[in-house]
């Protein structure tokens, strides 16, 4: 990210951030900032609402209307904010545990409503802040402090989950594929409706170490090797796909009404009946 | 000039909220509060407001907090099981100082309890429900007209003190239908605007006491004042700061912004207390029995009156301690096993006998039953 | 030289050194990214280090 963007969008005096050496969350936060900058939005018109966890610390660094709320609860708070002021561009920052475990119910219902929020899930495959417990997105067969004999639970395919729940835009990118990450976040921001972007991050401290992933750069190189652009993914056999995941815009649809706009119609109907 | 209606308490809450400028509701259906959600779903869009039926109780409260951040007054309503679920969010509203109104129409508990029967078993939960030291305002109506007035007052208090306010109802008051006179139009009623900053955005600190009230001005998101909300212990900038000194400073302000203003916050009613030698203390739906029982006792020459706390928390410490030097005995009547009673005992500090008439069998007391309890207290004393 | 390093922010994670195609960067004994001796003029300004630095500690400077 360009230095002038750091100066423009980060709150003065708050860097260096608290994330560990090699943590990908700084890259994702930077990608959000670059996407906002490309939109040309005023800082006053943007809100960043986060839950709790490593990812959710991102809100405090950024010079917008920001809230670091409760574990799993960013989406309901963001939904109320968006309803109250639909002109705000509301971006929700969450982690894999925050979003898919404790906040899972809120996720599927925000997606179902198709409310115009842009949700960026920082997926580092682990609960980092509490020291390395497995999340619903820890790959099955991984080690975690709460799975010393390896996890036995299958992990979520988050974009598919969101699609099934009704999200009208889903995408995935990694911190290695930085330019793609910026692009898919930007498209999600432009999309009218609920957008989910899974940003594959790395937690060298609490996931990498337990699973012998090597240095942070090697974890990022793992992303390069395992993230497959959608066009290539579509041509791969099931055997070739094993252990890999598609990246890019994974779904986009425009046939469902956005929630705040649909509610404007409720207001019109109620007032017509007076 | 107004219109006279026969109205349920829950519906009066809806009208009170609309009249006070509440323009957002988030919530989940639960007996015996559901009519509030239904009423808000109908009324809010009529006045340009918005209603969300959320996926759960937590989300309802969360959406209200989100709306309040945008400067829109929000309310949610629930009953015991849902109130338990809202506690986490209530803590965020206390810590981050986000005005909102939470209605708890109490039913019998714990757990599913008895959804359609009255209880006042949540009294201590309203005070201590969320984790950590915190201070809240709780007000409790006794009649349908008071449901309207106290909903308005709850909105005013939450906006004035930048804190969540709990409207503590019970199944009796929520479902009872009673005569109420409402204004033809709400246009002229006060709407309790929130205090917003007057400084330049670059000088704004979201948690700085700028006028000695200890209640910082709150800028709506999107108004050009960019600030940070956090449930972590924070200093006046709003950013996390967990030093012992910052923690103490924050806790002290959150407490004393309310305790400095008890004269404004604490509302009580005294009924036939002028020459009373004994007092009944009762609140909410339970107090309805007390009016009749006091009248019946007076007819028999017993000098008893009713002291009704309208504000349940903060506790009317000064008023109840004062009562103990005025009367010879106090009977506390509530629809639980004795919760407010504990606080009354503490305030009276053994100066006079304090007895409990607890009713916790799914039914409210009858005036006759209560008269017997009054007689036990007075020892059949006649004037 | 076209690289600006903000040492205070650098946590020495090594992502920049790994992905630098010209091996211009090294991690010093103090656990900070630095320009390798003798590589001062090798930077091709590809921007990979700037793009992937999680700590906003390295920038490709525009030529004066």
């Amino acid at each position: 990210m360009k230095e002038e963007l750091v100066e423009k969008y980060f709150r003065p005096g708050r860097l260096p951030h608290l994330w560990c050496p090699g943590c990908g969350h700084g890259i994702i936060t930077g990608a959000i900032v670059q996407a906002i900058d490309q939109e040309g939005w005023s800082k006053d018109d943007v809100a960043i609402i986060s839950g709790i966890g490593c990812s959710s610390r991102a809100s405090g660094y950024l010079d917008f209307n920001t809230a670091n709320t409760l574990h799993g609860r960013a989406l309901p708070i963001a939904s109320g904010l968006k309803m109250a002021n639909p002109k705000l561009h509301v971006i929700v920052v969450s982690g894999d545990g925050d979003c898919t475990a404790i906040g899972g119910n809120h996720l599927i219902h925000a997606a179902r409503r198709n409310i115009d929020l842009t949700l960026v899930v920082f997926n580092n495959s682990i609960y980092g802040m509490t020291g390395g417990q497995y999340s619903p997105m820890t790959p099955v067969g991984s080690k975690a402090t709460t799975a010393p004999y390896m996890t036995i639970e299958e992990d979520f395919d988050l974009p598919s989950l969101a699609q099934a729940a009704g999200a009208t835009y889903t995408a995935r990118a990694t911190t290695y594929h930085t330019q793609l990450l910026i692009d898919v976040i930007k498209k999600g921001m432009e999309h009218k409706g609920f957008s989910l972007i899974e940003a594959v991050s790395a937690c060298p401290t609490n996931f990498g170490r337990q699973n012998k992933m090597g240095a942070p750069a090697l974890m990022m190189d793992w992303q390069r090797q395992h993230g497959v652009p959608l066009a290539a993914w579509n041509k791969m056999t099931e055997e070739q796909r094993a252990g890999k995941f598609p990246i890019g815009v994974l779904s986009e649809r425009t046939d469902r009404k956005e929630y705040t706009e649909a509610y404007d119609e409720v207001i019109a109907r109620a007032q017509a009946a007076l | 000039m107004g219109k006279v209606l026969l109205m349920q308490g829950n519906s009066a809450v809806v009208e009170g909220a609309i009249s006070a400028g509440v323009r957002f509701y988030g919530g989940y259906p639960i007996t015996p509060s559901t009519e509030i959600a239904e009423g808000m779903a109908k009324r809010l869009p009529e006045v340009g407001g918005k209603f969300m039926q959320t996926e759960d109780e937590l989300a309802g409260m969360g959406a209200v907090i989100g709306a309040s951040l945008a400067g829109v007054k929000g309310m949610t309503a629930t009953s015991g099981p849902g109130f338990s679920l809202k506690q986490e969010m209530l803590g965020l509203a206390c810590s981050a100082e986000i005005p909102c109104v939470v209605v708890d129409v109490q039913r019998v508990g714990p757990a599913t309890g008895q959804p359609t029967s009255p209880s006042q078993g949540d009294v201590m939960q309203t005070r201590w429900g969320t984790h950590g030291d915190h201070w809240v305002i709780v007000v409790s109506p006794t009649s349908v007209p008071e449901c309207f007035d106290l909903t308005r007052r709850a909105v005013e208090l939450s906006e004035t003190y930048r804190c969540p306010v709990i409207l503590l109802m019970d199944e009796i008051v929520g479902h009872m239908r009673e005569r109420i006179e409402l204004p033809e139009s709400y246009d002229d009623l006060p709407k309790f605007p929130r205090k917003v900053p007057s400084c330049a955005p670059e000088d704004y600190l979201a948690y700085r006491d700028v006028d000695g009230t200890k209640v910082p001005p709150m800028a709506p998101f999107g108004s050009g004042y960019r600030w940070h909300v956090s449930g972590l212990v924070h200093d006046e900038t709003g950013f996390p700061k967990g030093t012992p000194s910052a923690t103490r400073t924050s806790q002290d302000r959150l407490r004393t912004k309310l305790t400095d203003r008890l004269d404004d916050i604490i509302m009580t009613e005294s009924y036939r207390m002028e020459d009373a030698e004994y007092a009944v203390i009762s609140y909410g739906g339970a107090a309805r029995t007390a009016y009749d029982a006091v009248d019946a006792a007076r007819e028999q020459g017993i000098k008893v009156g009713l002291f009704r706390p309208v504000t349940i928390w903060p506790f009317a410490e000064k008023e109840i301690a004062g009562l103990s030097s005025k009367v010879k005995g106090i009977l506390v009547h509530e629809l639980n096993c004795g919760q407010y009673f504990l606080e009354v005992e503490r305030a009276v500090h053994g100066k006079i006998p304090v007895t409990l008439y607890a009713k916790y069998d799914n039914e409210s007391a009858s005036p006759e039953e209560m008269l017997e309890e009054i007689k036990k207290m007075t020892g059949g004393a006649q004037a | 030289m076209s690289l600006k390093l903000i040492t205070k922010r650098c946590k020495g994670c090594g992502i920049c050194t790994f992905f630098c195609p010209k091996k211009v960067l090294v991690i010093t004994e103090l656990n900070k990214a630095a320009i390798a001796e003798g590589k001062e003029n090798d930077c091709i300004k590809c921007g990979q280090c700037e793009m992937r630095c999680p700590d906003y500690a390295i920038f490709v400077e525009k030529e004066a």
Side-chain angles (χ1 to χ4, degrees):
Chain A
M1 182 167 46
K2 289 286 170 206
E3 190 174 16
E4 53 264 35
L5 296 186
V6 178
E7 277 163 19
K8 183 173 177 187
Y9 293 105
F10 280 68
R11 287 181 165 128
R14 305 212 73 81
L15 292 176
H17 53 57
L18 58 56
W19 293 312
C20 298
C23 168
H25 288 5
I27 300 171
I28 305 168
T29 306
I32 293 171
V33 161
Q34 289 172 85
I36 292 171
D37 187 68
Q38 288 175 21
E39 291 299 321
W41 292 336
S42 160
K43 292 197 281 186
D44 293 336
D45 298 337
V46 176
I48 313 265
I49 310 297
S50 62
I52 291 294
C54 292
S55 61
S56 293
R57 284 303 189 99
S59 58
Y61 299 120
L62 300 173
D63 188 15
F64 303 103
N65 305 281
T66 58
N68 180 192
T69 64
L70 294 172
H71 197 29
R73 316 284 172 232
L75 279 169
I77 292 170
S79 298
L81 176 65
K82 182 72 181 178
M83 279 289 267
N85 185 354
K87 288 186 194 131
L88 282 173
H89 304 289
V90 183
I91 296 151
V92 180
V93 166
S94 189
D96 45 305
D98 190 60
C99 175
T100 71
I102 196 163
N105 198 33
H106 305 311
L107 167 70
I108 59 174
H109 290 277
R112 178 179 60 85
R113 289 187 191 103
N114 196 32
I115 186 164
D116 189 19
L117 303 173
T118 306
L119 167 65
V120 183
V121 182
F122 293 36
N123 174 18
N124 61 2
S125 308
I126 203 86
Y127 286 95
M129 194 156 271
T130 46
Q133 300 75 38
Y134 70 95
S135 88
M137 293 185 70
T138 303
V140 65
S142 303
K143 282 199 172 177
T145 60
T146 45
Y149 310 110
M150 296 197 297
T151 55
I152 55 171
E153 299 179 23
E154 284 292 333
D155 45 307
F156 275 134
D157 174 352
L158 183 55
S160 298
L161 172 70
Q163 283 165 36
T168 47
Y169 174 96
T170 63
R172 184 191 282 122
T174 79
T175 57
Y176 172 80
H177 302 88
T178 322
Q179 190 55 52
L180 177 71
L181 182 61
I182 298 166
D183 291 345
V184 297
I185 293 173
K186 181 169 178 285
K187 282 185 186 137
M189 289 171 176
E190 288 167 4
H191 177 80
K192 190 89 188 161
F194 187 81
S195 310
L196 175 140
I197 297 102
E198 179 188 337
V200 177
S201 188
C203 177
T205 304
N206 282 313
F207 184 81
R209 213 179 275 166
Q210 292 191 82
N211 289 286
K212 301 193 166 40
M213 300 281 286
L218 293 174
M219 292 185 79
M220 187 176 269
D221 203 48
W222 179 94
Q223 296 172 7
R224 179 182 66 78
Q225 292 165 23
H226 291 79
V228 182
L230 188 62
W233 174 265
N234 286 338
K235 291 177 192 151
M236 286 164 75
T237 62
E238 278 305 312
E239 290 75 39
Q240 289 169 321
R241 286 176 175 180
K244 297 187 175 177
F245 52 87
I247 56 175
V249 177
L250 303 178
S251 72
E252 191 166 16
R253 52 191 278 206
T254 54
D255 58 324
R256 304 185 75 210
K257 270 185 192 162
E258 191 278 321
Y259 186 71
T260 62
E261 289 184 354
Y263 200 88
D264 287 341
E265 295 174 17
V266 170
I267 292 175
R269 286 198 292 276
Q271 295 184 346
L274 282 177
Chain B
M1 284 296 284
K3 50 189 175 185
V4 175
L5 300 161
L6 181 68
M7 186 176 269
Q8 190 187 62
N10 283 343
S11 304
V13 169
V14 171
E15 292 307 314
I18 298 289
S19 79
V22 169
R23 289 297 177 269
F24 185 84
Y25 182 98
Y28 191 86
I30 182 167
T31 305
S33 75
T34 307
E35 294 84 0
I36 299 176
E38 291 171 338
M40 294 304 272
K42 180 169 193 311
R43 292 287 279 126
L44 275 172
E46 290 178 356
V47 295
K50 293 179 180 176
F51 168 92
M52 268 184 96
Q53 182 171 311
T54 49
E55 55 274 20
D56 57 29
E57 296 277 0
L58 309 142
M61 179 87 188
V64 166
I65 287 173
S68 189
L69 285 176
V72 173
K73 292 190 182 84
M75 184 175 89
T76 185
T78 187
S79 185
F83 191 57
S84 297
L85 292 168
K86 290 191 195 295
Q87 296 303 332
E88 183 194 31
M89 287 280 185
L90 203 63
L92 177 64
C94 289
S95 165
E97 298 176 76
I98 302 168
C100 55
V101 173
V102 183
V103 186
D104 175 16
V105 188
Q106 297 165 95
R107 64 192 226 183
V108 175
T112 309
Q114 184 52 258
T116 54
S117 295
S119 166
Q120 293 176 317
D122 301 353
V123 170
M124 282 296 177
Q125 195 191 11
T126 59
R127 176 62 190 89
W128 298 112
T130 199
H131 61 279
D133 287 330
H134 65 282
W135 287 266
V136 289
I137 299 175
V138 180
V139 295
S140 185
T142 289
S143 68
V144 170
E146 201 176 35
C147 286
F148 181 87
D149 294 339
L150 279 189
T151 302
R152 291 181 50 78
R153 181 69 177 140
V155 172
E156 182 181 24
L157 288 167
S158 74
E159 295 293 334
T160 305
Y161 296 106
R162 220 183 136 173
C163 66
V165 174
I166 297 158
L167 183 71
L168 184 64
M169 311 214 331
D170 45 67
E171 194 276 339
I172 301 171
V173 173
H175 278 163
M176 177 179 62
R177 283 177 166 78
E178 212 173 19
R179 180 189 190 277
I180 184 172
E181 188 173 345
L182 295 179
E184 287 291 346
S185 161
Y186 299 147
D187 292 350
D188 296 333
L189 295 181
K191 300 289 184 286
F192 319 118
R194 188 175 297 174
K195 180 165 68 184
V196 294
S198 52
C199 63
E202 56 272 27
D203 298 328
Y204 178 56
L205 294 175
Y207 296 95
R208 173 177 280 180
D209 173 21
V210 294
D211 55 11
T213 62
K214 301 184 180 173
V215 182
M218 182 173 172
F221 273 22
S223 66
Y225 292 79
R226 298 186 302 273
W227 56 290
H228 184 58
V229 176
S230 177
L232 285 156
V233 174
H234 45 268
D235 61 13
E236 63 181 13
T237 65
F239 291 99
K241 192 166 188 183
T243 62
S245 140
T247 307
R248 195 168 50 244
T249 302
S250 160
Q251 281 286 346
D252 284 346
R253 188 177 59 74
L254 288 175
R255 182 182 70 255
T256 57
K257 74 174 179 178
L258 302 182
T259 55
D260 283 359
R261 301 289 305 281
L262 293 180
D263 288 346
D264 179 46
I265 296 168
I266 291 181
M267 300 171 288
T268 64
E269 190 207 8
S270 294
Y271 177 72
R272 303 189 83 163
M273 283 298 297
E274 299 76 20
D275 61 341
E277 294 175 357
Y278 293 90
V280 173
I281 296 181
S282 196
Y283 54 89
R288 297 182 70 88
T289 308
Y291 289 104
D292 283 355
V294 163
D295 286 347
R298 284 275 178 175
E299 277 175 27
Q300 297 184 18
I302 302 169
K303 286 193 171 173
V304 63
L306 168 65
F307 178 86
R308 180 169 71 92
V310 175
T311 303
I312 306 298
W313 306 113
F315 180 66
E317 182 106 23
K318 193 178 69 180
E319 293 77 3
I320 287 174
L323 209 62
S324 66
S325 53
K326 196 174 163 241
V327 297
K328 298 178 200 165
I330 291 174
L331 177 71
V332 178
H333 170 57
E334 50 189 336
L335 301 179
N336 56 44
C337 298
Q339 296 191 14
Y340 196 79
F341 168 72
L342 298 171
E343 285 290 279
V344 175
E345 268 198 320
R346 188 181 58 75
V348 168
H349 208 65
K351 280 175 71 178
I352 55 168
V354 179
T355 49
L356 171 68
Y357 175 32
K359 195 88 162 73
Y360 44 86
D361 58 2
N362 297 356
E363 290 183 347
S364 56
S366 71
E368 294 74 25
E369 288 170 327
M370 194 158 172
L371 179 60
E372 289 309 307
E373 297 295 324
I374 291 172
K375 284 180 177 170
K376 278 187 214 162
M377 163 172 66
T378 61
Q382 307 275 314
Chain C
M1 189 58 223
S2 56
L3 290 176
K4 177 178 176 181
L5 290 148
I6 300 181
T7 308
K8 184 180 79 155
R9 289 187 198 153
C10 176
K11 294 171 186 161
C13 70
I15 287 174
C16 58
T17 57
F18 184 90
F19 288 100
C20 176
K22 292 290 176 185
K23 301 294 163 213
V24 171
L25 296 157
V26 288
I27 301 295
T28 66
E29 285 174 4
L30 296 171
N31 203 33
K32 300 283 181 184
I35 292 154
E37 244 183 81
K39 300 275 192 173
E40 290 82 358
N41 298 316
D42 289 8
C43 173
I44 55 168
K45 300 178 204 167
C46 68
Q48 295 212 48
C49 54
E50 179 186 274
M51 186 167 69
R52 299 208 182 88
C53 174
D55 294 288
Y56 326 120
I58 187 164
F59 301 103
V60 180
E61 298 250 271
K62 288 185 193 120
E63 292 296 308

